[in-house]
Every structure is written in C-alpha cells, then in structure tokens.
Amino acid sequence: MSQKTYDRLIHSHRGLIAGTMRDVILPAILGKETDGILYWIGKDLAREYPVASLEDLIVLTEQLGMGKLELRQKNSIQHIWRLSGPIVEERLAVDKEETSFSLEAGFLAQELEFQLSAVTEAEVIEHKRSYVEILAQNDPQSDTESERTELAEFIEIEKPVSEQASEADSQKGRRFRHKKQAPKK
C-alpha cells in the first residue's frame, strides 16, 4: 500500500480496515474477475440480510456502509436507484470510471428478487462525481423461489453509537453534579 492510499483511507468515512479490504485486498485477490465475483458476493450478502420492504433496504444499505440509497424511478420491470453520500463520493474521487460498485448492484438485485419473486439483475448505468445510478431489471415471466428463510428486522439508527455513549456520559455527569449540589438533610 502506498502512502497516498494509506492517507486517503485513514481519513475516509469507511476507515482503514473497510477501505483496505474493498479497494486493495479484494482486487488483489480477484484480479480481472473482481467485478463479476463482487456481484455474486453482493447477492450472497443480501441472502444473509433479507429485508421485507424497500424502506428496510434503504436503511440496511446505509448501515452496511454502502452509501445512501434512493429510488429514482420505478415501473413494473425496472427500478433505477441512486447510491450517493460521502462514502460513494470518496470512492468515486479515486477513479470514477474504474471504481467498482458491482457488490452494491448484486446486493440490490438479490434484495429486489426476494421482494418481487422474479429473477432480477442489476448494473451500474451511470457514474457521476457524487453518485452512481444502478438499473435493476426483473423478468416478471420468471417465477423464482425465494431463498430467504427469515426476514431480518433492522433498527434505524439516528446517531452513531459513539455519539450516543458520549451523550449518555454527559447526562450521567449532569445527574451526578445535581446530586452533589443538593442540600443534605
């Protein structure tokens, strides 16, 4: 790893470990097959976390550190999704055209396949400076047996855990100070 890569990843929203795994180690191991294999890894990941609704899918995608997912267009056979946010922007800033979002496309395809009960494939159709768009297409003629056995229920987190802990410590300190200031009987 070069100093430039280290500096970029240590200060990224993903952090050094996640960034190194995704952008350094996996491409080194997978070589030319990176995009194809990441797509199938994304599908496998979705099988681990099947969701019941598009709203849950949006929450889970962000919790997994993939970025902010937004449904842009929808009809009976196509969904166009936008994936954005600081994580996506950082990844695109490195090399917009070469940055792979196949993992995210595979993940999205499998989650939609669960919900639609139809074979679904997805691909990145547009790279912009701050987002990518992913087209997911299903074949309503092809019935698929859902592989999910149990739906995962997700909690929408409003604050990072570190902020919640800090806030709780702050409140404890206020209660403690209040108790110390109370007159003794």
Side-chain angles (χ1 to χ4, degrees), residues 63-78:
Q63 288 177 342
L64 286 171
M66 293 179 180
K68 180 183 177 202
L69 188 64
E70 176 186 1
L71 181 60
R72 304 290 292 173
Q73 288 182 319
K74 176 183 173 182
N75 64 35
S76 62
I77 60 169
Q78 292 183 338

Side-chain angles (χ1 to χ4, degrees), residues 13-33:
H13 285 86
R14 292 179 296 156
L16 185 61
I17 293 173
T20 299
M21 285 296 290
R22 180 68 187 277
D23 296 338
V24 179
I25 295 173
L26 284 174
I29 293 170
L30 303 175
K32 295 179 205 172
E33 303 300 322

Side-chain angles (χ1 to χ4, degrees), residues 56-69:
D56 287 347
L57 174 58
I58 290 168
V59 170
L60 178 61
T61 301
E62 193 158 358
Q63 288 177 342
L64 286 171
M66 293 179 180
K68 180 183 177 202
L69 188 64

Side-chain angles (χ1 to χ4, degrees), residues 44-100:
D44 284 343
L45 183 60
R47 290 180 188 107
E48 292 294 320
Y49 300 113
V51 295
S53 68
L54 296 181
E55 292 79 19
D56 287 347
L57 174 58
I58 290 168
V59 170
L60 178 61
T61 301
E62 193 158 358
Q63 288 177 342
L64 286 171
M66 293 179 180
K68 180 183 177 202
L69 188 64
E70 176 186 1
L71 181 60
R72 304 290 292 173
Q73 288 182 319
K74 176 183 173 182
N75 64 35
S76 62
I77 60 169
Q78 292 183 338
H79 290 80
I80 297 178
W81 294 87
R82 178 172 288 175
L83 189 63
S84 63
I87 290 170
V88 174
E89 287 179 35
E90 286 174 355
R91 293 187 64 224
L92 288 168
V94 175
D95 189 353
K96 183 171 82 172
E97 294 304 318
E98 294 298 316
T99 301
S100 174

